[in-house]
Amino acid sequence: MKLVVRVIEARNIPAMDQNGYSDPYVRLQLGRQRFKTKVVRKSLSPSWEEEFSFKVEDLKDELVISVLDEDKYFNDDFVGFLKIPVSRVFDADNKSLPTAWHSLQPKNKKSKNKDCGEILLTISFSHNTSSADFNINSDPLDQLKTTESPKRSFSGPSNAPSPVRVEDTTSSREEKSCAQKTLAGRIAQMFNKNSDTASDRGVDFLELPETTKSELFDDKCVDQSSSASFEEAMKTMEPRDLGSEVPSNLPGGVLVDQMYVIAPQDLNTLLFSPDSNFPRTWAEEQGNTELQIGPWRFENGCESLKRDVTYIKAANKLIKATKGFEEQTYLKADGKVFAILASVSTPEVMYGGSFKTELLFCITPGPELSSGEQSSHLVISWRMNFLQSTMMKGMIENGARSALRETYEQFATFLSQTITPVDSNDMGLNKEQILASLQPEPQSDWKLAVHYFANFTVVSSFFMGIYVLIHIWLATSTTIQGLEFVGLDLPDSIGEFIVCGVLVLQGERFLQLISRFMQARKQKGSDHGVKAQGDGWLLTVALIKGDNLAAVDSSGFCDPYVVFTCNGKSRTSSIKFQQCDPMWNEIFEYDAMDEPPSMLDVEVYDFDGPFNEATSLGHAEINFVKSDISDLADVWIPLQGKLAQACQSKLHLRIFLNNTKGSNVVKEYLTKMEKEVGKKGRLFLSARIIGFHANLFGHKTNFFFLWEDIEDIQVLPPSLSSMGSPVIVMTLRQGRGMDARHGAKTQDEEGRLKFHFHSFVSYNVAHRTIMALWKARSLSPEQKVQIVEESEAKSLQSEEGGTFLGLEDVTMSEVYSSVLPVPMSFFMELFGGGELERAVMEKAGCVSYSCSSWESEKLDVYERQIYYRFDKCISRYRGEVTSTQQKSPLPNGNGWLVEEVMTLHGVPLGDYFNLHLRYQVEDSPSRPKGCLAQVYLGVAWLKSTRHQKRITKNIVSNLEDRLRVKLSVIEKEFAAR
């Protein structure tokens, strides 16, 4: 028997993609027979009109129908499913279920989308059994020879089989496997063991449980292509990929970004054609052996083109020779643009089964050169795809990053020996040609006024005004009544009152339109054509046009204009009246900058008069650090925001960034910045980036991000883990700084990275500089550099003076000064970490006292950490203390200077301040066996409070008492010796 299923259409499918639509298709399974429909693009009410035929062997089976959303680059999203027992269809009238809507069920009860939509189906048993139906008493091998297509289209007679689609039909090997599960099949397998077992092994589908596994259908139908040539395969994909978007670069970073003097299709053939000798030559150059390149094959019904490549990767200093498996897939091939995703796995290396390395090759047309030759732009980006969680994720990513950069630097050099790279001089000429061809669209004021005022509001106001004037001319004067007097004619009824109100509102609206138009004409000028001044980095932005801008006016149009902001300087376009697809063709230039810009903010507004707040139609940010400048030479920028995303608004821009001093590539600057981060050591601040470098136990950590990436900066109170130093927490904007995520402390629920910085040499200077640069991120680089220089100058002065942890910013006052009858060497044992220090501190009310050994920080400067708790007699809160001490000899060599920064924990307002102490001990000239001890105190306030004087007085009083106790104990201990 055959079960015929007609999949007609669906409705109310939930939107699974960011564009507000889905790309749904249907998968059907009965036992081990599986088929699927075509994919309907960008639809929430798809129509398929397809028919499938299943062979029924057991009435206890269930027909499982699933609706999925196709994702071109990732796993398909599950929408909903339903199960229909075959017995239900068999027991129904005429052994068929009439055409009806069936509700789709979510994957499980925890799914967010409870309403999965409905699907229209017709299910029935076929009354005409053909000789192709399986009979348990017949030879299954003979039956396989006469199997007909399981699918028919509605475009022809229902009984006529349609041409077989590769992804939906079950191959003879799969049918043979299904047949062998029957009794006759198993007997046939026994007699044909030698000839069939080897070929059937591996094609048997896994038995899916009756639980939710049958809902997903994660496995793909694999179909081998015919022996078509590479050129024929490209021609097959060309009409399918026309108009599709070019995949964006992978988040791991760009490995190769270069222009070549070669047509895009020729470069694609050179790199990926089976007849090309380049891949084999490159493998030999790398030392790889046993290279095997499989044929290109179509899968998923000619929707994807794939091939497999295997090789033995040459050994290096770290790993031995390992086998590599590479699957190459064409994501786009429209004849001009080619995108190939290569997924590389090396299971033999350590943790190799937990990750795959993905490389994206994008070949796009370059600008036409001055010589008339075609050019191609090759960009290779990468990312790590972790199949399972591992603690070694950061180490694996860092190792892969360095290895890939080295490999593809060699690749770019090797490719340049085969084809010629584009000369930068040709690129400059091309830029001038492109900009010269852009001319703003001229439009007269009269034509614009007609277009602007040709709407219902103006027309209705005009006819209503004519109507009222004719009425006044025809009407006769009425007698004065009620509260009227000569010159004041009031409405005589409710109807007249309403009509007067409507006329006033209509007239006001009409006058507002006129006023708005006149003000806009005064501001119609833009920054188009204003030439840049100076030498350095020149940024040129060409605004071509907009597409699908949101209509916010009652007329169904908008009055858009664009504002570009870079380094605190703005450029404004002209206003385009009553247009949702405006054409600008305007050019904006920014004055030369010493450093390349990091961010360009783009905001699209709707003009609504000179005094009303402009409505944002969308915004976008262009990150020059993360983007390839060559990609921005001709790009469509999608706008963000509720209105923009609802309308899928976008802008067509052409952006050029070059350096008049010679270097025209931003990559060189970024490479220099990365090296600077490593040279500076620890935290590195510049006018453009904030970077970090560390080398702990041979493990290097380097990262940097932009000031514009930072959303918020907070200061956490000192803790024991931060060695008594306040912690500066930088929270990045969502999706920013992903290249530096290996240095982030945490990531919040919204996906924002948080970076923690502490243990500054001078916290106050560091905090002041960081906050100044962050708050000034909208200023020009020159202004930012000035702020940094001022802060660095102050920091250098403090370092030359030998101060510690920002003591120069705290007012120190003397709280104790006396000549003690003990030698200086004995007094310094108070800071020696021995028995005397412990005895003195315990007498002073310090419990659980512990200290680290002195460590040399620089020449004649030593540092250590201290921890203790207050006794109840000192503080009823029994707070904790963490402090850092630094010891250095006095300039005259006759004594010591000990500086201490103390942080209190567990006491009220303890996070509002730090205590700064300075002990100066030197030999006393008046007393041969005595020493002069001076103690200074300062309070550094981290937060303001009205109790500052009261707290300071309490601290000074308590410290003076504790100092007297300490010094008395020292004198007694010296006398006892």
Side-chain angles (χ1 to χ4, degrees):
M1 290 186 296
K2 282 192 176 183
L3 183 68
V4 179
V5 182
R6 298 174 62 183
V7 181
I8 305 173
E9 60 178 323
R11 63 187 180 189
N12 300 328
I13 297 295
M16 308 298 290
D17 298 335
Q18 294 183 352
N19 58 12
Y21 295 98
S22 294
D23 301 326
Y25 67 93
V26 181
R27 281 198 166 175
L28 306 94
Q29 180 183 14
L30 181 63
R32 294 184 183 86
Q33 304 172 72
R34 302 181 185 184
F35 309 117
K36 77 169 187 176
T37 67
K38 63 183 179 183
V39 179
V40 180
R41 305 289 179 186
K42 295 183 179 181
S43 177
L44 301 181
S45 300
S47 177
W48 292 285
E49 298 288 340
E50 296 184 30
E51 182 178 302
F52 301 91
S53 177
F54 294 89
K55 299 171 183 62
V56 178
E57 298 179 0
D58 191 346
L59 293 178
K60 295 181 180 179
D61 287 342
E62 286 186 321
L63 174 66
V64 182
I65 300 174
S66 301
V67 179
L68 297 95
D69 169 62
E70 186 187 55
D71 196 317
K72 192 169 184 179
Y73 307 121
F74 303 99
N75 292 333
D76 295 345
D77 298 321
F78 186 81
V79 178
F81 80 107
L82 66 97
K83 293 181 180 180
I84 300 177
V86 176
S87 58
R88 175 184 167 191
V89 184
F90 188 81
D91 297 336
D93 295 338
N94 297 325
K95 291 184 172 51
S96 66
L97 298 179
T99 303
W101 288 98
H102 299 266
S103 298
L104 297 173
Q105 303 301 320
K107 177 180 176 182
N108 51 53
K109 295 181 179 179
K110 297 182 180 179
S111 298
K112 296 181 180 180
N113 293 329
K114 300 298 182 182
D115 186 7
C116 302
E118 296 177 303
I119 187 169
L120 185 62
L121 303 171
T122 300
I123 306 174
S124 62
F125 274 96
S126 175
H127 298 288
N128 298 324
T129 58
S130 66
S131 60
D133 292 339
F134 279 96
N135 187 338
I136 197 169
N137 297 321
S138 63
D139 186 354
L141 301 180
D142 293 336
Q143 295 172 7
L144 292 174
K145 299 177 182 177
T146 57
T147 303
E148 67 178 7
S149 171
K151 173 189 168 187
R152 293 192 295 271
S153 173
F154 290 167
S155 59
S158 60
N159 294 331
S162 65
V164 179
R165 280 208 328 184
V166 180
E167 74 274 17
D168 295 330
T169 60
T170 306
S171 68
S172 61
R173 291 172 59 187
E174 293 171 347
E175 292 177 333
K176 185 185 298 184
S177 176
C178 295
Q180 287 171 353
K181 290 302 179 180
T182 64
L183 178 60
R186 293 186 183 276
I187 296 175
Q189 184 182 16
M190 293 172 61
F191 286 98
N192 296 277
K193 178 166 55 178
N194 295 333
S195 60
D196 295 335
T197 302
S199 62
D200 292 339
R201 187 176 303 154
V203 300
D204 189 20
F205 290 105
L206 295 176
E207 181 73 37
L208 292 179
E210 295 182 2
T211 56
T212 58
K213 284 189 178 180
S214 62
E215 308 159 10
L216 299 177
F217 303 110
D218 289 335
D219 55 318
K220 301 276 186 181
C221 300
V222 178
D223 312 299
Q224 301 295 333
S225 69
S226 61
S227 57
S229 65
F230 180 73
E231 291 74 14
E232 291 175 350
M234 292 296 99
K235 291 179 180 179
T236 302
M237 295 189 66
E238 184 174 338
R240 187 205 69 177
D241 289 341
L242 283 175
S244 62
E245 296 183 357
V246 181
S248 57
N249 292 335
L250 298 182
V254 175
L255 302 173
V256 176
D257 181 7
Q258 182 62 50
M259 297 273 193
Y260 295 97
V261 184
I262 188 175
Q265 56 270 27
D266 295 336
L267 180 57
N268 174 63
T269 302
L270 174 69
L271 298 180
F272 298 103
S273 173
D275 301 328
S276 173
N277 196 42
F278 180 83
R280 296 174 177 82
T281 310
W282 167 241
E284 294 175 0
E285 179 74 15
Q286 290 293 105
N288 298 338
T289 58
E290 299 185 19
L291 176 65
Q292 296 182 2
I293 302 177
W296 288 103
R297 67 185 185 275
F298 279 107
E299 293 187 0
N300 298 334
C302 297
E303 291 188 2
S304 62
L305 185 63
K306 297 184 179 181
R307 77 172 178 183
D308 297 320
V309 179
T310 60
Y311 49 84
I312 302 294
K313 188 171 180 61
N316 55 32
K317 296 179 180 180
L318 298 178
I319 59 175
K320 63 179 183 179
T322 57
K323 192 165 187 177
F325 301 88
E326 185 172 331
E327 183 185 67
Q328 298 176 352
T329 305
Y330 268 92
L331 304 181
K332 182 178 177 65
D334 61 1
K336 296 182 179 179
V337 178
F338 303 89
I340 302 91
L341 180 67
S343 180
V344 184
S345 59
T346 51
E348 295 179 0
V349 302
M350 186 177 296
Y351 301 102
S354 62
F355 68 91
K356 287 186 178 181
T357 305
E358 296 183 351
L359 299 165
L360 179 62
F361 295 76
C362 278
I363 303 172
T364 55
E368 184 177 350
L369 305 180
S370 56
S371 60
E373 297 178 289
Q374 295 186 43
S375 65
S376 299
H377 182 202
L378 173 64
V379 178
I380 304 177
S381 56
W382 77 284
R383 70 176 172 192
M384 294 297 293
N385 185 4
F386 284 91
L387 308 177
Q388 60 188 40
S389 178
T390 173
M391 295 178 61
M392 309 301 293
K393 180 177 180 181
M395 187 184 73
I396 293 172
E397 279 189 329
N398 292 334
R401 181 182 293 107
S402 59
L404 287 172
R405 284 183 178 177
E406 180 180 356
T407 299
Y408 279 91
E409 283 178 4
Q410 300 173 7
F411 176 85
T413 303
F414 187 75
L415 184 60
S416 299
Q417 298 172 3
T418 306
I419 52 179
T420 307
V422 173
D423 188 3
S424 59
N425 294 329
D426 291 334
M427 297 295 297
L429 290 174
N430 184 263
K431 170 192 170 183
E432 299 301 329
Q433 293 173 0
I434 292 175
L435 297 181
S437 63
L438 298 178
Q439 295 296 332
E441 181 182 3
Q443 191 172 14
S444 65
D445 290 347
W446 283 107
K447 185 183 293 184
L448 185 60
V450 171
H451 183 70
Y452 189 79
F453 290 112
N455 55 63
F456 176 77
T457 300
V458 176
V459 173
S460 61
S461 299
F462 176 78
F463 282 106
M464 193 171 294
I466 297 269
Y467 184 85
V468 171
L469 290 176
I470 294 176
H471 168 73
I472 293 174
W473 181 53
L474 295 176
T476 59
S477 59
T478 58
T479 59
I480 297 175
Q481 54 185 347
L483 299 179
E484 296 176 344
F485 53 85
V486 177
L488 178 63
D489 189 8
L490 298 176
D492 297 332
S493 65
I494 297 297
E496 290 184 2
F497 178 78
I498 294 175
V499 171
C500 290
V502 171
L503 292 175
V504 171
L505 293 177
Q506 194 77 358
E508 181 187 14
R509 193 171 182 183
F510 179 69
L511 292 176
Q512 284 180 349
L513 283 174
I514 297 177
S515 174
R516 177 179 165 188
F517 176 78
M518 298 303 296
Q519 292 290 340
R521 294 314 298 163
K522 292 181 181 179
Q523 302 180 21
K524 68 178 180 179
S526 70
D527 295 317
H528 166 68
V530 179
K531 294 297 181 180
Q533 303 293 327
D535 290 330
W537 291 92
L538 293 179
L539 174 63
T540 304
V541 181
L543 173 61
I544 310 300
K545 61 180 179 179
D547 184 58
N548 291 333
L549 300 183
V552 295
D553 295 347
S554 58
S555 60
F557 296 96
C558 59
D559 304 327
Y561 65 95
V562 184
V563 178
F564 299 95
T565 304
C566 183
N567 288 338
K569 300 176 182 178
S570 297
R571 298 289 185 268
T572 306
S573 73
S574 61
I575 303 171
K576 296 297 179 181
F577 294 100
Q578 300 295 287
Q579 294 185 30
C580 291
D581 299 313
M583 176 70 72
W584 276 285
N585 282 341
E586 297 180 356
I587 302 171
F588 310 96
E589 295 185 0
Y590 288 83
D591 290 340
M593 298 164 275
D594 291 335
E595 293 184 339
S598 55
M599 192 78 67
L600 175 67
D601 293 319
V602 183
E603 191 83 32
V604 183
Y605 294 102
D606 174 67
F607 182 80
D608 197 20
F611 305 109
N612 295 335
E613 183 178 357
T615 302
S616 176
L617 301 180
H619 60 88
E621 290 180 341
I622 300 173
N623 191 327
F624 292 109
V625 177
K626 306 294 177 60
S627 303
D628 299 316
I629 300 303
S630 53
D631 288 344
L632 301 177
D634 190 357
V635 62
W636 282 92
I637 302 295
L639 298 179
Q640 304 298 319
K642 294 182 178 179
L643 293 175
Q645 290 179 336
C647 300
Q648 299 184 17
S649 306
K650 53 186 178 180
L651 290 179
H652 187 191
L653 304 177
R654 288 182 173 177
I655 302 174
F656 303 92
L657 180 63
N658 61 339
N659 196 333
T660 58
K661 296 180 181 179
S663 175
N664 62 345
V665 183
V666 182
K667 186 187 298 183
E668 296 178 9
Y669 175 81
L670 296 179
T671 304
K672 175 185 174 183
M673 284 291 99
E674 286 184 337
K675 293 179 180 178
E676 286 294 321
V677 171
K679 289 179 181 178
K680 295 288 183 180
R682 298 192 180 179
L683 194 62
F684 166 66
L685 307 178
S686 78
R688 192 165 184 255
I689 67 171
I690 177 170
F692 181 81
H693 168 76
N695 189 351
L696 299 176
F697 306 108
H699 179 67
K700 295 183 179 181
T701 302
N702 272 351
F703 64 84
F704 68 93
F705 47 84
L706 304 176
W707 290 106
E708 288 83 353
D709 293 340
I710 302 175
E711 180 177 344
D712 187 28
I713 296 180
Q714 296 178 338
V715 178
L716 299 181
S719 63
L720 183 60
S721 61
S722 64
M723 295 298 183
S725 169
V727 182
I728 297 179
V729 181
M730 299 184 185
T731 304
L732 303 192
R733 301 178 188 275
Q734 187 175 7
R736 298 289 185 85
M738 299 310 293
D739 290 343
R741 61 182 178 274
H742 58 279
K745 180 74 173 179
T746 58
Q747 187 172 8
D748 61 14
E749 297 177 352
E750 299 179 6
R752 300 179 302 177
L753 298 176
K754 293 181 178 289
F755 294 81
H756 290 214
F757 301 98
H758 60 83
S759 301
F760 300 98
V761 174
S762 176
Y763 164 75
N764 288 336
V765 172
H767 181 259
R768 181 173 62 247
T769 305
I770 290 172
M771 294 303 295
L773 285 171
W774 179 57
K775 292 179 180 179
R777 62 189 184 277
S778 60
L779 302 178
S780 65
E782 293 78 8
Q783 294 170 310
K784 294 180 182 179
V785 169
Q786 184 179 359
I787 294 175
V788 175
E789 290 176 348
E790 293 175 355
S791 298
E792 288 181 349
K794 186 175 292 186
S795 176
L796 290 174
Q797 293 174 3
S798 64
E799 290 178 2
E800 292 173 357
T803 56
F804 170 59
L805 293 178
L807 291 180
E808 74 279 6
D809 300 315
V810 181
T811 302
M812 307 290 288
S813 59
E814 186 178 83
V815 294
Y816 182 87
S817 179
S818 177
V819 177
L820 301 177
V822 296
M824 182 185 66
S825 58
F826 185 84
F827 184 90
M828 288 303 297
E829 290 185 17
L830 177 62
F831 307 102
E835 294 296 327
L836 176 62
E837 181 178 2
R838 295 184 182 278
V840 170
M841 298 305 291
E842 287 178 2
K843 288 289 185 179
C846 301
V847 184
S848 302
Y849 184 85
S850 63
C851 62
S852 63
S853 59
W854 290 100
E855 296 180 0
S856 177
E857 285 294 309
K858 50 186 177 180
L859 183 63
D860 291 333
V861 178
Y862 306 89
E863 187 174 307
R864 70 171 182 172
Q865 311 294 329
I866 295 175
Y867 168 80
Y868 57 88
R869 290 187 295 107
F870 286 125
D871 191 280
K872 187 176 181 181
C873 63
I874 300 297
S875 173
R876 64 186 182 91
Y877 300 103
R878 296 185 177 182
E880 299 177 348
V881 175
T882 56
S883 67
T884 302
Q885 288 183 345
Q886 195 175 83
K887 179 176 67 173
S888 60
L890 292 176
N892 56 15
N894 295 328
W896 289 90
L897 180 67
V898 179
E899 296 173 307
E900 181 177 6
V901 177
M902 185 184 302
T903 304
L904 307 183
H905 310 275
V907 298
L909 303 181
D911 57 339
Y912 275 58
F913 60 91
N914 285 337
L915 299 182
H916 295 248
L917 293 169
R918 179 183 296 158
Y919 299 86
Q920 184 171 327
V921 186
E922 55 186 335
D923 292 327
S924 174
S926 61
R927 203 166 196 176
K929 293 186 178 180
C931 67
L932 174 62
Q934 295 175 296
V935 183
Y936 299 85
L937 170 68
V939 181
W941 291 96
L942 308 177
K943 303 178 184 179
S944 62
T945 173
R946 59 179 182 176
H947 303 295
Q948 288 186 4
K949 292 184 178 180
R950 179 180 172 186
I951 293 175
T952 303
K953 182 178 180 181
N954 180 270
I955 291 173
V956 172
S957 175
N958 182 277
L959 182 64
E960 288 177 346
D961 294 339
R962 292 176 61 205
L963 280 174
R964 293 190 185 96
V965 173
K966 290 181 181 180
L967 298 179
S968 64
V969 173
I970 292 176
E971 293 179 5
K972 291 179 182 179
E973 289 290 336
F974 179 76
R977 294 186 182 182

